[in-house]
Amino acid sequence: MHYGYFDNQNREYVITRPDTPTPWINFLGNGEYGGFISNSAGGMSYYKDPNSKRITRYKYNNLPADRPGRYIYLKDMKTGEYWSPTWQPVMKTPDSYECRHGLGYTAISSSYGGIETQITYFVPVGKDHEVWKVRIKNNSGKELSLKAFTYVEFSYHTASLDLMCDWPRMLFNADFKDGFIVFESMTAEAFYPYIGTNAGVEGYDCSLEKFIGTYRSESNPIALENGKCSNSPVSSDNAVGAMCCPVNLESGEEKTFVVVLGFSENKETAVQKGRENLDEQQIEKDFADLRAYWDNFLSHASFSTPDENVNIMLNIWNQYQCKTTFDWSRFISLYERGIDRGLGFRDSMQDILGVVHAIPDKVKARIKDLLSIQFKKGDAMSVLYPADRKACGGGRSDDHLWSVFSVCTYIRETGDREFLNERVPYYDGGDGTVLEHMENAVKFTVDNSGEHGIPLLLLSDWNDTLASINKKGGSESIFVFFQLAHAVYELLLLYRQYGYIEKEKWASEIYAYCESKLDTIWDGKWFLRAFNSYGEKYGTADDEYNRIFLNPQTWAVMSRLPTEEQAHSALDAVHENLMTEFGLLIHYPAADFYDVEKKAYMPCAAGTKENGGIFYHTNAWAVIAEVLLGRNEHAFEYYSAALPCRRNEISELCRIEPYVYASHIFGKQHPEFGAGTNSWLTGTAAWMFLAASQYILGIRPDYDGLVIDPCIPKEWDGFKAERMFRNVKVIITVKNTCGSAGRVKNLTVDGNVMEDNTIPAAYLKGKTLVQVYAEI
Ligand code: GLC
């Protein structure tokens, strides 16, 4: 069963009924002012940092779910009926309903009793407010006397305190003046949220209690029952932005008004600032600019393959999700609460991979920001908060190593090798070049090995939950071992490229050391996952639980360290033991209990999350590993199984949005196999984009040029792609002439036959467009 469809022309996902299995959300804004919004207008707003600059409240683990949000209520003053044109929170069944989640905006349309409404929500590019454009049309055949009410619930600016403490609401003040409610939490510095409208305000409520009434909810506010607000300011209590505006409509008449929600740094000028944002002409222009912003963003890479599902994801939704993860890391969504996650060193380092082709300057700045929370000795803090630039966490075995691939990917994309020499501060004082930061990361891992000579797992590796096997310390991580080998492999390529002879020797020795450890970590058919605190093997065929883990197999191949036989054996074992109709399990079989003796390490149910769930992030690595071995059918099988749009017709089972990747869906050991959770903010977005565009389609930037190295399904007769590379538009046609889809046999660029499968960067210099034809 489906709840909507893709409108590719308009780059929208159209939800056709409001009661989706979970709220299906969209993000507004571009990493500064923004928020998320569900298909029934639930959601919240914040500026830059959802913990320290929260504007409106959203209540997690709350019933009714998905509240509050950005609400408009309508009341027919003749009949006394009231409803929400966004379905929530009044939840009267609309005669028609449609929610269009577009790129940076959401438009919810419905009709009720012949009254048609459309509310379009968006954040203008580069501005620090949001717009709700409300259009109401009277198709009821009679004259109407309506009242429209706005509603948001303000939050204390520090969201964690708003949630935890009793006192924040006592610092609230809000009042109405000249069409605007301005809110103040007394201890906030230069932060005055406001909401206003040009609809002609007849009355207002700033007091939550006065608007909602006692023992009521957003579903049946007393103000709606009464058909008017009570003109309440608020002082020292919960605050809302409720304004009541009469809307009289002749039969057939249509009216539009706008609501703006934002903040001012200055209380005195808040109303003036808000009023400027009500300019309807400017709003039209801002919306056109938003569309143009996304046209431009997506114009950096587009693909036309024989598989429509691949095209939808690669051209629209996957790229959109990549930008969202770049903006919000794992900070704020329907699942993450915007309180404790910030920009993760590990997560954000990976997120850059999905956007570096489109916004390289922003990527460069982000890499530098993250490197600045690395210590001199090489390890790093885990989280950076973007607003106050504070960091927390640290002590993990993997964080610091992620920078190597990200920096190398940035240089391959841009050719900006000077970046290696830029100086970036260390978190504990002093500074070093970007290259030194990467080398120190490698040194740290080499210097922190355990009894088997494998890197210590420390507080955790990529898999946060594996920490529990390290109860007494001393655990070693084979994932980090391969991550180290991969980082060193990347450094070796970099050194060879730029002629760092001495450094090459240093890296080769580490790589050779890693090679010498392969026997220690090989289990016969696949690689182990770890050694626990007692030196016991994890991820071995000898055990009852957790016999095989996905990550060490894929990262082994990505590190290029194992023998060919080992690599094939490991990936065969993956296919045999871990594949399901929705993708690869993270490990198998998962235990349903936690018992150190039995090596059952996870407290959560078998088949969920990192305990035997289908963790999509890890599936992208499997796609890449399969491509590296030239196994195109498996690569596409994994990629295709994970495609969110394939879930569209079984949404009642999968529950989550079919237009974005989720962090995981429940694996086959769980009774709800196929049910998904934690959509949107996941490393899956960036890695799947990379896996598909650079590995399956094989259009891969390298230091010297753009490599064309597809590994597509054999049934495909080819594909087309357009990509910006070093400021040149590269138009690529790939033809599958052999029907078995091997690697490139002939490559011509503007009709010139190339020596190998690379379009040399030197050839591209000074050009604006090249045409490439490749045969496989
Ligand atoms: C989540 C975290 C990520 C971690 C992964 C596996 O996705 O955001 O940092 O690597 O879980 O535990």
Side-chain angles (χ1 to χ4, degrees):
M1 176 175 159
H2 65 243
Y3 289 76
Y5 63 92
F6 289 89
D7 175 349
N8 299 328
Q9 201 74 34
N10 288 306
R11 296 180 180 145
E12 291 170 333
Y13 185 82
V14 188
I15 301 167
T16 49
R17 46 185 290 177
D19 55 342
T20 44
T22 57
W24 285 4
I25 68 162
N26 191 14
F27 279 80
L28 306 176
N30 258 306
E32 303 233 320
Y33 183 98
F36 68 84
I37 181 164
S38 76
N39 57 307
S40 50
M44 64 157 89
S45 306
Y46 43 84
Y47 175 63
K48 268 193 184 167
D49 180 330
N51 189 36
S52 67
K53 290 215 162 31
R54 184 77 59 98
I55 294 173
T56 59
R57 279 184 179 151
Y58 186 76
K59 295 169 191 168
Y60 294 90
N61 288 347
N62 186 50
L63 288 175
D66 192 28
R67 295 201 187 167
R70 301 168 174 87
Y71 296 143
I72 296 286
Y73 296 89
L74 291 179
K75 174 153 181 157
D76 183 329
M77 296 306 287
K78 286 188 187 143
T79 63
E81 242 206 301
Y82 64 89
W83 68 99
S84 303
T86 52
W87 186 58
Q88 283 252 48
V90 179
M91 298 211 294
K92 288 204 177 138
T93 308
D95 301 328
S96 70
Y97 162 91
E98 186 181 88
C99 166
R100 290 182 171 261
H101 282 322
L103 308 188
Y105 67 91
T106 285
I108 304 176
S109 313
S110 68
S111 71
Y112 188 81
I115 299 153
E116 226 180 68
T117 318
Q118 185 184 54
I119 311 177
T120 306
Y121 300 90
F122 72 102
V123 174
V125 179
K127 301 196 176 170
D128 45 22
H129 67 274
E130 66 189 69
V131 175
W132 315 353
K133 186 176 154 197
V134 185
R135 187 175 62 79
I136 307 176
K137 185 159 189 220
N138 178 5
N139 285 338
S140 69
K142 47 188 195 223
E143 198 183 323
L144 282 175
S145 165
L146 301 179
K147 284 193 185 174
F149 295 73
T150 67
Y151 184 81
V152 291
E153 186 176 334
F154 290 109
S155 170
Y156 187 60
H157 58 287
T158 306
S160 51
L161 299 179
D162 197 62
L163 206 69
M164 276 163 26
C165 306
D166 62 324
W167 49 262
R169 76 184 164 88
M170 298 174 195
L171 307 183
F172 292 175
N173 274 328
D175 206 351
F176 174 83
K177 200 177 139 214
D178 299 337
F180 280 79
I181 288 174
V182 179
F183 170 77
E184 171 183 20
S185 45
M186 306 278 277
T187 47
E189 272 173 41
F191 196 61
Y192 302 93
Y194 63 76
I195 184 167
T197 175
N198 62 0
V201 179
E202 162 204 275
Y204 64 92
D205 275 313
C206 304
S207 154
L208 179 138
E209 196 178 344
K210 289 277 162 39
F211 183 78
I212 297 286
T214 42
Y215 302 105
R216 289 171 173 267
S217 75
E218 300 96 336
S219 299
N220 59 351
I222 191 72
L224 264 294
E225 304 263 325
N226 294 338
K228 59 178 193 222
C229 289
S230 53
N231 295 347
S232 59
V234 82
S235 182
S236 241
D237 209 347
N238 285 316
V240 298
M243 292 173 286
C244 171
C245 313
V247 183
N248 297 316
L249 292 167
E250 301 289 331
S251 173
E253 194 184 353
E254 178 178 310
K255 279 191 180 158
T256 301
F257 64 90
V258 283
V259 177
V260 289
L261 174 67
F263 73 94
S264 167
E265 289 176 349
N266 182 325
K267 192 175 173 191
E268 273 58 57
T269 56
V271 172
Q272 187 196 329
K273 187 175 173 196
R275 177 141 333 105
E276 283 161 18
N277 297 332
L278 283 173
D279 178 340
E280 289 198 36
Q281 261 184 342
Q282 185 60 43
I283 286 172
E284 290 309 308
K285 188 175 171 308
D286 284 346
F287 191 70
D289 287 351
L290 178 73
R291 302 287 308 231
Y293 171 88
W294 283 106
D295 286 349
N296 177 51
F297 186 91
L298 296 179
S299 72
H300 292 85
S302 63
F303 309 87
S304 171
T305 79
D307 188 324
E308 200 39 37
N309 286 332
V310 175
N311 300 341
I312 293 173
M313 288 314 292
L314 278 187
N315 291 328
I316 307 171
W317 292 97
N318 193 181
Q319 292 204 49
Y320 182 50
Q321 189 180 1
C322 284
K323 176 63 169 48
T324 308
T325 58
F326 175 79
D327 286 343
W328 296 117
S329 196
R330 310 294 170 271
F331 208 173
I332 179 87
S333 74
L334 191 69
Y335 306 92
E336 290 92 356
R337 283 126 203 260
I339 286 175
D340 58 345
R341 301 284 303 255
L343 301 179
F345 190 101
R346 146 207 304 159
D347 293 328
S348 291
M349 269 300 181
Q350 295 172 73
D351 293 340
I352 69 110
L353 303 171
V355 293
V356 62
H357 64 288
I359 46 170
D361 293 345
K362 285 200 158 70
V363 160
K364 181 176 178 172
R366 173 63 53 78
I367 293 177
K368 283 167 75 172
D369 277 350
L370 294 170
L371 288 179
S372 72
I373 59 166
Q374 187 182 357
F375 296 100
K376 260 187 235 98
K377 67 178 194 305
D379 59 336
M381 297 293 278
S382 307
V383 171
L384 173 69
Y385 291 99
D388 57 16
R389 310 195 65 78
K390 288 196 178 125
C392 72
R396 292 162 167 176
S397 53
D398 68 313
D399 278 334
H400 48 282
L401 287 173
W402 292 105
S403 61
V404 178
F405 188 59
S406 296
V407 170
C408 293
T409 302
Y410 165 79
I411 296 175
R412 287 192 182 102
E413 181 70 53
T414 56
D416 177 15
R417 67 173 283 201
E418 274 314 305
F419 185 48
L420 294 171
N421 301 323
E422 279 191 39
R423 300 198 79 79
V424 178
Y426 288 110
Y427 191 62
D428 48 348
D431 65 9
T433 64
V434 168
L435 186 59
E436 282 160 2
H437 276 73
M438 296 197 285
E439 290 166 346
N440 289 352
V442 166
K443 282 180 198 151
F444 177 89
T445 300
V446 171
D447 291 346
N448 283 275
S449 300
E451 98 183 55
H452 296 88
I454 303 299
L456 288 169
L457 188 133
L458 304 176
L459 271 188
S460 83
D461 65 13
W462 171 89
N463 182 339
D464 292 314
T465 65
L466 210 62
S468 59
I469 74 166
N470 196 21
K471 279 265 144 56
K472 293 189 174 356
S475 266
E476 293 156 279
S477 165
I478 290 159
F479 175 81
V480 175
F481 169 82
F482 282 123
Q483 209 192 348
L484 168 71
H486 182 259
V488 173
Y489 171 80
E490 283 290 313
L491 284 180
L492 277 169
L493 298 179
L494 185 83
Y495 294 154
R496 283 180 197 139
Q497 179 69 28
Y498 298 127
Y500 293 98
I501 311 286
E502 274 309 301
K503 289 176 182 289
E504 193 186 325
K505 208 167 138 255
W506 167 73
S508 301
E509 278 164 18
I510 302 173
Y511 199 68
Y513 169 79
C514 291
E515 242 172 332
S516 77
K517 287 284 155 195
L518 282 174
D519 286 347
T520 315
I521 57 173
W522 180 244
D523 192 54
K525 285 190 178 154
W526 58 76
F527 289 102
L528 302 169
R529 176 62 175 87
F531 294 103
N532 67 10
S533 287
Y534 307 103
E536 294 166 335
K537 294 174 183 177
Y538 252 75
T540 165
D542 299 338
D543 279 349
E544 193 179 350
Y545 299 106
N546 310 321
R547 282 198 291 271
I548 172 168
F549 285 78
L550 176 55
N551 285 347
Q553 324 314 327
T554 54
W555 275 82
V557 176
M558 284 162 68
S559 76
R560 278 71 161 187
L561 203 61
T563 62
E564 207 177 322
E565 207 187 329
Q566 279 174 327
H568 280 272
S569 167
L571 291 196
D572 286 346
V574 161
H575 194 264
E576 195 180 314
N577 293 284
L578 302 179
M579 189 51 183
T580 74
E581 64 186 280
F582 295 108
L584 293 161
L585 304 170
I586 190 169
H587 68 204
Y588 188 76
D592 226 343
F593 53 88
Y594 173 58
D595 182 335
V596 178
E597 293 308 309
K598 293 194 171 138
K599 293 203 255 162
Y601 76 92
M602 278 279 297
C604 65
T608 64
K609 268 181 110 248
E610 293 96 327
N611 191 28
I614 299 167
F615 218 92
Y616 281 121
H617 192 156
T618 65
N619 280 232
W621 295 329
V623 175
I624 294 173
E626 291 287 358
V627 169
L628 292 177
L629 295 193
R631 303 175 8 150
N632 45 6
E633 300 309 326
H634 279 172
F636 194 70
E637 184 187 355
Y638 298 158
Y639 177 69
S640 190
L643 281 172
C645 47
R646 286 189 63 234
R647 298 188 244 108
N648 197 49
E649 301 304 316
I650 46 169
S651 288
E652 78 283 14
L653 169 69
C654 297
R655 309 210 298 225
I656 40 168
E657 298 92 330
Y659 40 91
V660 286
Y661 288 100
S663 140
H664 55 282
I665 66 173
F666 296 164
K668 63 184 181 188
Q669 285 179 264
H670 194 275
E672 288 173 69
F673 174 41
T677 182
N678 287 61
S679 54
W680 278 97
L681 300 185
T682 157
T684 318
W687 280 102
M688 279 295 182
F689 186 69
L690 201 79
S693 60
Q694 300 201 9
Y695 289 85
I696 293 178
L697 301 182
I699 304 170
R700 194 160 58 238
D702 207 342
Y703 298 111
D704 273 342
L706 189 64
V707 176
I708 310 292
D709 186 21
C711 185
I712 57 176
K714 64 176 184 313
E715 317 72 62
W716 284 15
D717 56 2
F719 68 90
K720 291 197 161 102
E722 287 187 18
R723 190 196 200 280
M724 293 304 293
F725 179 64
R726 313 233 178 136
N727 298 320
V728 183
K729 184 176 201 166
V730 185
I731 302 180
I732 304 155
T733 305
V734 172
K735 266 241 135 331
N736 176 10
T737 57
C738 66
S740 67
R743 280 356 216 286
V744 163
K745 291 187 297 214
N746 306 303
L747 181 75
T748 61
V749 181
D750 296 335
N752 305 309
V753 180
M754 296 290 116
E755 276 172 21
D756 54 20
N757 64 350
T758 304
I759 309 161
Y763 178 86
L764 295 175
K765 259 219 166 95
K767 301 205 167 44
T768 51
L769 183 140
V770 298
Q771 298 271 359
V772 177
Y773 178 75
E775 276 183 1
I776 50 179

